[in-house]
């Protein structure tokens, strides 16, 4: 039950008592105050109506909804609610709804209150002329609300950052900022400032400022507090650096080029590449690694040369770095063509073009001659090469070189080499210069032969184009119908006229004529009757014990044809001649006579033989062979020793003599040289041993000029045998053998003691003789 306390009693004005549109008399009423302070009126009617609103007062937070219940005691036909503006609240309002539960109750509901919803609301109950009303004051307040406090909030390092924290409440709140658990005191750190709107400003924000920030709002009047955690992210502008700022590559060899950049920043930047303002992507030409830091350019070409931009980008921004790709190109000859000229033309120019980077230098060569631009530069044109005779000139400009040949000769024809080179490599190509020229007849004009011996007259022709060759004699073309001993054989460069002379008439002059479109040339050839050669001249004879070396000079006249053999003849005085023929060789200047007798006088003569026959013999020369016991080969003929070996044999065994030396177990073995076999003795080999043993002592090798050997330290009273062998280049002689016996072992009594004993014996003998005399 509700209790009411009387306050005062008053008479309401008529206007206050009457309903709108009604004109009623003043009615006395009593004003009551609810125990909770709300007001109500009780009309002084026999059946009064009472009105009560629950709750008696209303505080609503913005956005919240709340209802109020109007309860009526007594009969009431109508129960209406009035807004703070005095207007009756109709049922169709969306924000404020009135609903009648039954005859004694009506509900006022305020949905999603806002500041306009505040004021005094009135509930009026009527029944005829009976009326009662009650009011309730609705207050609207704003709770702490974070209208805008996004998280995370991102800033770029170095920027002036304003951390947004929009808070609304009524009354307005006070804002406190905290970072890492500590209150931010802007008065102590000038980098921080709390703005009037409650935002936190950080001047020149750094990476270390990153983290969680606490935006705390307080309303002291209500003791209300709330906070919002805001994550602050500080993005760092990328830094980027090229690993190599200039990358070199070689084109046209299927090589790849690697361009690389390293980037840092927060968040991790993405790396892209661009060339000529076009972003590059992985494909047939380019390849990027996973993070984009490495760009591979496949099969590098010259067109790939240039600057490539490496771009690092994140939320903070982007940075770019240039990487230059330098593409070098190996030289390549791009133009070189064959040329044709005619002999005696004023000039012909050969042109060679080459590409490459660096620009290649171009040189020309022909056979062993090299023509390089600038090699022999003229004083006025350092880019021009001139030969000493000024017939060859090389000019170079950029990637083109020309070789100009002036006063063209047929010898200029041939294969020319153009070489282009730079620091990367080299390229070479050949071209051919064709020189058209009239025939030129070469070769010897004289040919020697003899009757019934075939000879070829050679007409060697150089011509371009090839020449036709004809042979003539006395104006008649050969071979004629009446010549059966002549034939013609042709090769591409030589025409041969084969003649087999039958008589003296076939010797004489023959004409060779060669012709082509450029002209013709004729030449006379002579076929001459050959003669036998003159005699060789014997220069010197070097005799040995059984051989002799004959040195000679070739004949003054060969007879027109080559010498094929030399004949050497020798004999002892008054005896028949013996002979031997030697094939004529280019280096034959001496011959050797073998099988001679020592210490014998001989005669020797020589003749030369060619195809025509044997020439006259030289005058005879005399010489005497060496004795068998001759010393070593004289120095002036030492050089012929090897030549003699062909005719020499093994030497004879030397003769031996043995001489026992003063000490009876040493001896000297002498030898006497015998026949050296036609070749000087090289050394002597000595072996010896006691006859009663089987093993020989080590062999002793003595020089060729030695005549004895001394053997010492032999056993006493022992028979020895000694072998001595002479050896020359052809082999060893039979061994010369000698045997001997050493002396008996002498007495071992000392010499002084022996003398002393002899003296004693003589003294004893004298005493005996004296004794005998005395007795007599």
């Amino acid at each position: 039950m509700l209790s009411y306390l009387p306050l005062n009693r008053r008479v309401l004005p008529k206007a206050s008592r009457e309903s709108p549109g009604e004109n009623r008399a003043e009615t006395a009423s009593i004003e009551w105050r609810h125990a909770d302070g709300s007001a109500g009126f009780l009309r002084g009617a026999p059946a009064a109506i009472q009105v009560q609103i629950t709750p008696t007062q209303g505080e609503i937070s913005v956005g919240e909804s709340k209802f109020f219940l109007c309860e009526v005691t007594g009969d009431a036909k109508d129960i209406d609610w009035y807004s703070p503006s005095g207007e009756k609240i109709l049922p169709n309002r969306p924000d404020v709804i009135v609903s009648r539960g039954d005859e004694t109750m009506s509900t006022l509901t305020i949905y999603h209150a806002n500041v306009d919803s505040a004021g005094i609301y009135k509930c009026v109950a009527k029944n005829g002329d009976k009326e009662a009303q009650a009011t309730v004051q609705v207050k609207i307040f704003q709770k702490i609300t974070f209208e805008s406090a996004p998280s995370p909030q991102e800033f770029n390092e170095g920027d002036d950052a304003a951390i947004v924290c929009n808070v609304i409440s009524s009354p307005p709140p006070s804002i406190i900022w905290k970072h890492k658990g500590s209150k931010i005191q802007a008065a102590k750190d000038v980098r921080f400032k709390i703005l009037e709107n409650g935002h936190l400003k950080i001047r020149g924000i750094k990476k270390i400022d990153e983290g969680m920030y606490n935006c705390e709002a307080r309303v002291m009047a209500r003791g209300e507090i709330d906070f919002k955690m805001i994550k602050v992210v500080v993005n760092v502008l990328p830094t980027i650096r090229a690993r190599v700022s200039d990358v070199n590559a070689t084109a046209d060899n299927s090589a790849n080029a690697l361009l690389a950049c390293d980037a840092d920043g927060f968040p991790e930047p993405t790396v892209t590449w661009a060339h000529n303002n076009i972003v590059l992507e992985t494909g047939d030409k380019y390849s990027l690694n996973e993070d984009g830091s490495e760009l591979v350019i496949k099969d590098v070409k010259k067109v790939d040369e240039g600057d490539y931009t490496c771009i690092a980008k994140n939320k903070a921004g982007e940075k770019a770095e240039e990487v230059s790709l330098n593409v070098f190109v190996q030289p390549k000859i791009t133009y070189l063509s064959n040329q044709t000229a005619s002999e005696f033309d004023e000039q012909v120019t050969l042109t060679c073009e080459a590409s490459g980077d660096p620009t290649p230098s171009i040189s020309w060569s022909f056979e062993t001659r090299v023509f390089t631009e600038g090699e022999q530069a003229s004083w006025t044109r350092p880019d021009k090469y001139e030969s000493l005779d000024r017939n060859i000139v090389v000019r170079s400009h950029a990637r083109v070189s020309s070789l100009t040949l002036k006063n063209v000769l047929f010898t200029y024809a041939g294969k020319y080499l153009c070489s282009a080179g730079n620091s990367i490599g080299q390229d070479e190509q050949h071209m051919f210069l064709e020189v058209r020229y009239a025939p030129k007849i070469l070769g010897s004009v004289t040919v020697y032969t003899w009757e019934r011996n075939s000879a070829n007259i050679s007409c060697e022709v150089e011509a371009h184009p090839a020449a036709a060759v004809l042979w003539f004699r006395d104006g008649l073309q050969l071979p004629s119908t009446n010549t059966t001993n002549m034939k013609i054989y042709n090769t591409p460069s030589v025409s041969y006229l084969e003649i087999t002379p039958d008589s003296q008439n076939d010797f004489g002059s023959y004409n060779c004529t060669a012709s082509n479109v450029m002209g013709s040339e004729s030449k006379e050839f002579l076929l001459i009757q050959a003669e036998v050669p003159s005699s060789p001249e014997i220069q010197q004879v070097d005799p040995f014990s059984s051989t002799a070396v004959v040195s000679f000079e070739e004949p003054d006249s060969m007879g027109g044809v080559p010498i094929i053999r030399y004949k050497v003849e020798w004999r002892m005085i008054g005896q028949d001649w013996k002979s031997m023929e030697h094939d004529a060789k280019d280096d034959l200047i001496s011959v050797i006579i073998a099988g001679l007798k020592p210490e014998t006088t001989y005669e020797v003569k020589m003749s030369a033989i060619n195809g025509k026959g044997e020439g006259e013999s030289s005058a005879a020369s005399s010489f005497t062979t060496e004795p068998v016991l001759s010393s070593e080969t004289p120095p002036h003929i030492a050089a012929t020793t090897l030549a003699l070996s062909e005719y020499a044999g093994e030497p004879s065994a030397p003769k031996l003599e043995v001489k026992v030396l003063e000490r009876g177990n040493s001896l000297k073995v002498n030898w006497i040289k015998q026949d050296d076999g036609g070749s000087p003795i090289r050394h002597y080999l000595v072996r010896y041993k006691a006859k009663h043993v089987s093993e020989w002592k080590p062999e002793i090798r003595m020089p060729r000029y030695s005549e004895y050997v001394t053997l010492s330290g032999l056993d006493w009273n022992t028979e020895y045998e000694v072998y001595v062998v002479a050896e020359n280049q052809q082999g060893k002689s039979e061994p010369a053998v000698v045997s001997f016996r050493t002396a008996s072992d002498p007495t071992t009594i000392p010499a002084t003691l022996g003398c002393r004993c002899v003296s004693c014996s003589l003294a004893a003998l004298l005493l005996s003789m004296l004794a005998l005399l005395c007795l007599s």
Side-chain angles (χ1 to χ4, degrees):
M1 295 294 292
L2 296 175
S3 58
Y4 297 89
L5 300 176
L7 297 177
N8 52 31
R9 187 176 182 181
R10 63 187 179 88
V11 178
L12 296 175
K14 181 178 181 180
S16 301
R17 296 195 309 268
E18 294 179 352
S19 297
E22 295 182 355
N23 187 9
R24 295 183 181 178
E26 241 177 65
T27 304
S29 67
I30 301 174
E31 181 180 355
W32 296 87
R33 180 72 63 184
H34 294 281
D36 59 4
S38 60
F41 296 93
L42 180 62
R43 296 184 179 274
I49 300 175
Q50 297 179 0
V51 179
Q52 179 181 351
I53 297 176
T54 305
T56 58
Q57 63 179 5
E59 283 194 354
I60 308 176
S61 174
V62 172
E64 291 184 349
S65 300
K66 199 165 188 176
F67 69 89
F68 298 91
L69 183 63
C70 179
E71 296 177 301
V72 178
T73 302
D75 294 331
K77 184 178 180 180
D78 297 315
I79 304 174
D80 297 312
W81 286 87
Y82 293 87
S83 67
S85 62
E87 296 176 352
K88 181 180 178 179
I89 300 175
L90 300 177
N92 58 353
R93 286 185 59 174
D95 53 341
V96 180
I97 297 176
V98 174
S99 62
R100 180 88 177 259
D102 55 27
E103 295 179 353
T104 63
M105 184 182 301
S106 179
T107 304
L108 171 69
T109 304
I110 301 174
Y111 286 99
H112 308 297
N114 55 46
V115 292
D116 295 332
S117 302
I120 297 174
Y121 289 82
K122 182 171 60 174
C123 178
V124 179
K126 295 180 181 179
N127 188 356
D129 58 351
K130 299 177 183 179
E131 178 180 323
Q133 61 181 356
T135 61
V136 63
Q137 185 172 2
V138 177
K139 297 180 179 179
I140 305 298
F141 69 93
Q142 174 70 59
K143 289 174 60 178
I144 294 175
T145 301
F146 291 91
E147 188 176 40
S148 177
S151 180
Q153 297 185 37
E154 297 188 25
F155 306 97
N156 293 340
E157 187 178 40
D159 290 350
D160 289 342
I163 305 174
V164 175
C165 184
N166 289 332
V167 186
I168 57 174
S169 73
S170 56
S174 59
I175 303 298
I176 297 174
W177 285 89
K178 295 179 182 179
H179 179 48
K180 296 180 181 179
S182 299
K183 180 180 178 181
I184 295 175
Q185 299 180 5
K188 294 183 178 181
D189 191 340
V190 296
R191 294 179 59 242
F192 294 90
K193 182 179 181 181
I194 299 176
L195 304 178
E196 291 182 0
N197 58 6
H199 298 177
L200 176 63
K201 182 178 182 180
I202 305 176
R203 182 181 304 164
I205 194 168
K206 302 176 183 177
K207 187 66 177 175
I208 59 173
D209 296 326
E210 194 173 64
M212 298 300 296
Y213 284 76
N214 185 349
C215 176
E216 184 178 282
R218 296 183 179 186
V219 178
M220 297 303 295
R222 290 194 301 273
E224 185 180 0
I225 184 171
D226 200 358
F227 66 90
K228 186 77 170 179
M229 297 301 295
I230 301 173
K231 182 179 180 180
V232 173
V233 178
V234 179
N235 296 323
V236 180
L237 188 69
T239 61
I240 191 167
R241 59 192 176 280
R243 294 182 196 170
V244 180
S245 57
D246 284 285
V247 177
N248 297 330
T250 302
D252 304 322
N253 61 355
S254 300
N256 298 337
L258 172 64
L259 281 60
C261 283
D262 295 317
D264 294 316
F266 186 86
E268 185 74 21
T270 59
V271 180
T272 57
W273 291 83
H275 179 51
N276 296 332
N277 296 322
I278 299 174
V279 177
L280 307 181
E281 297 179 351
T282 295
D284 295 336
K285 183 62 179 177
Y286 305 103
S287 175
L288 293 164
N289 65 346
E290 186 175 352
D291 62 4
S293 61
E294 295 181 352
L295 170 68
V296 175
I297 304 173
K298 304 174 186 177
D299 192 14
V300 176
K301 304 291 184 185
K302 184 62 179 177
V303 295
D304 297 324
E305 187 174 67
D307 292 333
Y308 288 75
T309 305
C310 177
I311 306 166
K313 185 176 183 180
N314 65 7
K315 293 180 179 180
E318 66 178 45
K319 286 285 187 179
E321 181 80 4
E322 294 290 338
V323 179
S324 295
L325 176 62
N326 306 309
V327 179
F328 299 101
V329 182
Q330 292 187 350
K332 184 175 180 61
I333 295 175
T334 56
Y335 176 81
L336 187 66
S337 63
N338 298 332
Q339 295 288 333
T340 300
S342 297
E343 191 176 25
F344 308 124
D345 280 352
E346 182 179 346
Q347 67 179 36
V348 61
T349 299
L350 316 180
T351 301
C352 181
E353 296 182 10
S355 62
D357 189 3
T359 300
S361 59
I362 300 176
S363 63
W364 294 85
S365 60
F366 176 67
E367 296 178 347
T368 59
R369 297 183 66 183
V370 178
F371 314 110
T372 304
E373 176 268 321
E375 183 177 298
Q376 294 182 10
S378 65
W379 292 105
T380 57
R381 291 288 303 279
D383 61 339
K384 183 176 72 172
Y385 166 93
E386 288 187 353
S387 62
L388 296 178
D389 59 6
R390 297 193 175 184
N391 276 353
I392 301 173
V393 179
V394 176
R395 292 184 177 89
S396 296
H397 177 71
R399 292 178 170 84
V400 181
S401 180
S402 64
L403 173 66
T404 300
L405 306 173
K406 299 181 179 180
N407 303 318
V408 178
L409 300 176
F410 78 98
T411 54
Y412 290 174
K415 182 168 65 174
Y416 288 76
L417 177 67
C418 175
S419 301
N422 61 13
S423 58
I424 304 302
Q426 185 166 332
D427 188 26
E428 294 181 346
Q429 285 190 27
H430 289 95
M431 60 83 59
F432 291 88
L433 174 62
E434 177 187 3
V435 177
R436 299 160 57 88
Y437 57 95
K440 302 179 187 302
I441 298 178
L442 311 175
S444 174
V445 296
T446 57
V447 178
Y448 290 84
T449 189
W450 54 94
E451 294 177 4
R452 293 178 298 280
N453 182 66
S454 298
N456 284 329
I457 302 176
S458 301
C459 182
E460 183 179 353
V461 179
E462 288 187 358
H464 187 74
V469 179
L470 298 176
W471 288 90
F472 299 91
R473 188 177 192 199
D474 298 331
L476 297 177
Q477 184 176 342
L478 300 177
S480 60
T481 55
N482 59 349
T483 56
T484 59
N485 60 341
M486 299 182 188
K487 297 178 181 178
I488 295 176
Y489 303 95
N490 292 316
T491 69
S493 60
V494 182
S495 180
Y496 299 96
L497 175 63
E498 182 186 283
I499 303 174
T500 305
D502 292 332
S503 65
Q504 188 64 34
N505 293 333
D506 292 326
F507 295 95
S509 175
Y510 291 83
N511 176 272
C512 174
T513 299
S515 303
N516 66 4
V517 295
M518 301 299 295
S520 64
E521 182 170 286
S522 297
K523 195 169 188 179
E524 297 292 327
F525 291 86
L526 295 176
L527 183 63
I528 301 175
Q529 175 82 275
E531 302 292 340
V532 296
S534 61
S535 62
E537 182 179 351
I538 296 176
Q539 296 291 313
Q540 180 177 327
V541 179
D542 293 313
F544 293 85
S545 59
S546 60
T547 58
V549 178
V550 181
S551 300
F552 66 94
E553 286 188 357
E554 62 183 14
D556 293 334
S557 172
M558 305 292 181
V561 290
I563 293 175
I564 55 178
R565 292 188 302 277
Y566 284 100
K567 180 178 179 182
V568 58
E569 298 177 272
W570 70 95
R571 70 177 180 176
M572 288 187 292
I573 301 298
Q575 300 293 322
D576 292 335
W577 291 95
K578 296 181 180 179
S579 67
M580 179 177 289
E581 292 185 1
H582 300 266
D583 290 337
K585 301 177 182 178
D586 292 341
D587 57 349
L588 185 65
I589 58 173
S590 63
V591 294
I592 298 174
I593 304 172
L596 304 180
K597 294 182 179 180
E599 300 183 85
T600 303
T601 300
Y602 287 88
E603 288 181 317
V604 62
K605 62 181 180 178
M606 290 187 67
S607 60
I609 303 171
N610 65 10
K612 183 68 181 289
E614 180 181 349
E616 293 184 356
S617 297
S618 65
S621 298
S622 299
F623 65 93
T624 302
T625 55
E626 297 284 340
V628 171
L629 300 179
S630 63
S631 61
E632 61 177 305
T633 305
H636 70 281
I637 61 171
T640 65
T641 301
L642 293 179
L644 289 172
S645 64
E646 183 179 354
Y647 306 96
E650 295 86 357
S652 301
K655 292 183 178 180
L656 302 183
E657 293 179 355
V658 177
K659 179 180 180 181
V660 178
L661 298 181
E662 217 175 288
R663 188 170 177 83
N665 67 340
S666 297
L667 70 148
K668 181 179 181 182
V669 180
N670 293 285
W671 54 78
I672 300 173
K673 177 182 175 183
Q674 300 302 301
D675 185 1
D676 58 12
S679 178
I681 301 297
R682 298 171 65 181
H683 44 249
Y684 293 93
L685 305 176
V686 179
R687 292 195 305 165
Y688 69 98
K689 72 178 185 67
K691 280 193 173 182
H692 66 279
V693 299
S694 60
E695 293 184 358
W696 293 88
K697 297 290 184 181
E699 186 176 72
I700 302 172
R701 177 173 293 194
M702 301 299 292
R704 64 187 182 189
Y705 49 78
S706 60
E707 296 179 351
Y708 67 90
V709 65
T710 300
L711 305 179
S712 303
L714 306 178
D715 294 336
W716 296 101
N717 195 26
T718 301
E719 189 173 0
Y720 281 87
E721 57 182 353
V722 180
Y723 283 21
V724 178
V725 173
E727 185 176 9
N728 67 5
Q729 188 173 0
Q730 297 304 305
K732 299 176 182 178
S733 70
E734 293 295 324
V737 183
V738 64
S739 299
F740 67 93
R741 178 177 290 275
T742 58
S744 300
D745 190 6
T747 306
T748 57
I749 300 174
T752 54
L753 180 59
C755 293
R756 207 178 289 125
C757 291
V758 171
S759 300
C760 293
S761 299
L762 290 173
L765 179 60
L766 289 174
L767 289 173
S768 300
M769 292 178 66
L770 288 173
L772 289 174
L773 288 173
C774 291
L775 289 174
S776 61

